Amino acid sequence: GFQACYDVEIEVEALAVVDKIDFLCLSGFEACRRSYIDIHGDAAVNDTYLLCQDAEGVCKAMSLTLYGATNFVTIECLSGASNCNGLSVDNQNVLKQLDITCLSYQGCASLNIYSGNNAQHWIENTNLYCSQNTSVCENTYIWGNFTNELNIYCGSHLACNMLTIAGHYMDSGVDINLVCDAPYACYNWGLMNIYPVNSLSVLCNDTYSCLDIP
């Protein structure tokens, strides 16, 4: 229902070992707004799953803070305008894989993905999929330490408008793959301080899909 789980905290204390966390926000205007998942240092979580759908702002301004070791984080923002608007993922350990799917109007607008404040913290594989509605991942900011692959798919009008990718120093480098698959999908996107990069691939598949490419 309306703000039913507003500002709820799921906290995994230090030294705890958890196989799976499921946080399901399925209906109700802003039902899980400002709720957060906090994994403390020295804790270990294998798999974290967040599902947001069927209501406007259902997971708006939610945050995940990962100080403990985490293998997999999956976030699905499937329906409901602005359902994950302002969502934040803050990784302060080693995360093996982060998968985020955003499908609604401004569903993941102002998404913030941050990884690490030193060379011991990073995300190994990051996959961000933005499609089906206008401005779905508009003004997304991805910054920090990434290794292996950083894959971003922008498949709708203005899907990744004002996307920013900013990096720190990682010896292993990263392969960045950006696909812009609709008109103005990657309008006004930019790179900042990315070093080192193993490879950078930008695929522009439609009219003005990469307009104002840096």
Side-chain angles (χ1 to χ4, degrees):
F2 173 75
Q3 294 187 342
C5 294
Y6 184 90
D7 205 18
V8 166
E9 178 182 1
I10 294 179
E11 199 167 359
V12 180
E13 298 288 351
L15 304 179
V17 178
V18 177
D19 180 55
K20 184 78 181 290
I21 296 173
D22 288 324
F23 200 146
L24 309 180
C25 302
L26 302 181
S27 63
F29 178 76
E30 295 186 351
C32 298
R33 182 175 180 176
R34 290 186 57 188
S35 292
Y36 55 100
I37 299 171
D38 188 359
I39 300 173
H40 289 201
D42 297 320
V45 177
N46 179 48
D47 193 355
T48 299
Y49 177 61
L50 173 63
L51 175 61
C52 307
Q53 67 178 27
D54 293 341
E56 182 177 347
V58 67
C59 292
K60 191 171 185 177
M62 280 193 66
S63 62
L64 287 77
T65 304
L66 313 174
Y67 282 93
T70 310
N71 287 332
F72 306 101
V73 172
T74 302
I75 300 170
E76 294 186 325
C77 305
L78 302 183
S79 59
S82 302
N83 56 1
C84 294
N85 189 299
L87 179 75
S88 174
V89 179
D90 182 0
N91 175 61
Q92 297 292 338
N93 205 295
V94 176
L95 173 58
K96 289 186 177 179
Q97 184 150 328
L98 173 64
D99 295 308
I100 302 178
T101 300
C102 306
L103 301 180
S104 67
Y105 172 68
Q106 291 193 340
C108 293
S110 300
L111 172 68
N112 185 50
I113 302 172
Y114 173 64
S115 181
N117 55 17
N118 61 49
Q120 283 72 52
H121 304 154
W122 65 84
I123 301 175
E124 292 183 5
N125 295 290
T126 305
N127 300 296
L128 174 61
Y129 182 89
C130 308
S131 191
Q132 296 190 15
N133 275 282
T134 299
S135 303
V136 59
C137 293
E138 185 173 72
N139 201 33
T140 287
Y141 198 49
I142 300 172
W143 60 304
N145 296 331
F146 298 87
T147 64
N148 293 2
E149 291 191 348
L150 172 57
N151 301 310
I152 305 169
Y153 178 81
C154 308
S156 57
H157 183 252
L158 291 172
C160 298
N161 181 31
M162 295 186 291
L163 167 71
T164 299
I165 305 171
H168 292 171
Y169 292 89
M170 288 295 292
D171 292 337
S172 59
V174 62
D175 296 319
I176 300 175
N177 302 298
L178 175 63
V179 177
C180 308
D181 206 16
Y184 299 94
C186 298
Y187 180 72
N188 199 29
W189 74 282
L191 296 169
M192 297 173 55
N193 302 323
I194 301 293
Y195 176 84
V197 172
N198 290 337
S199 68
L200 171 62
S201 172
V202 180
L203 184 60
C204 307
N205 278 347
D206 212 318
T207 305
Y208 303 127
S209 58
C210 296
L211 193 66
D212 279 6
I213 190 168

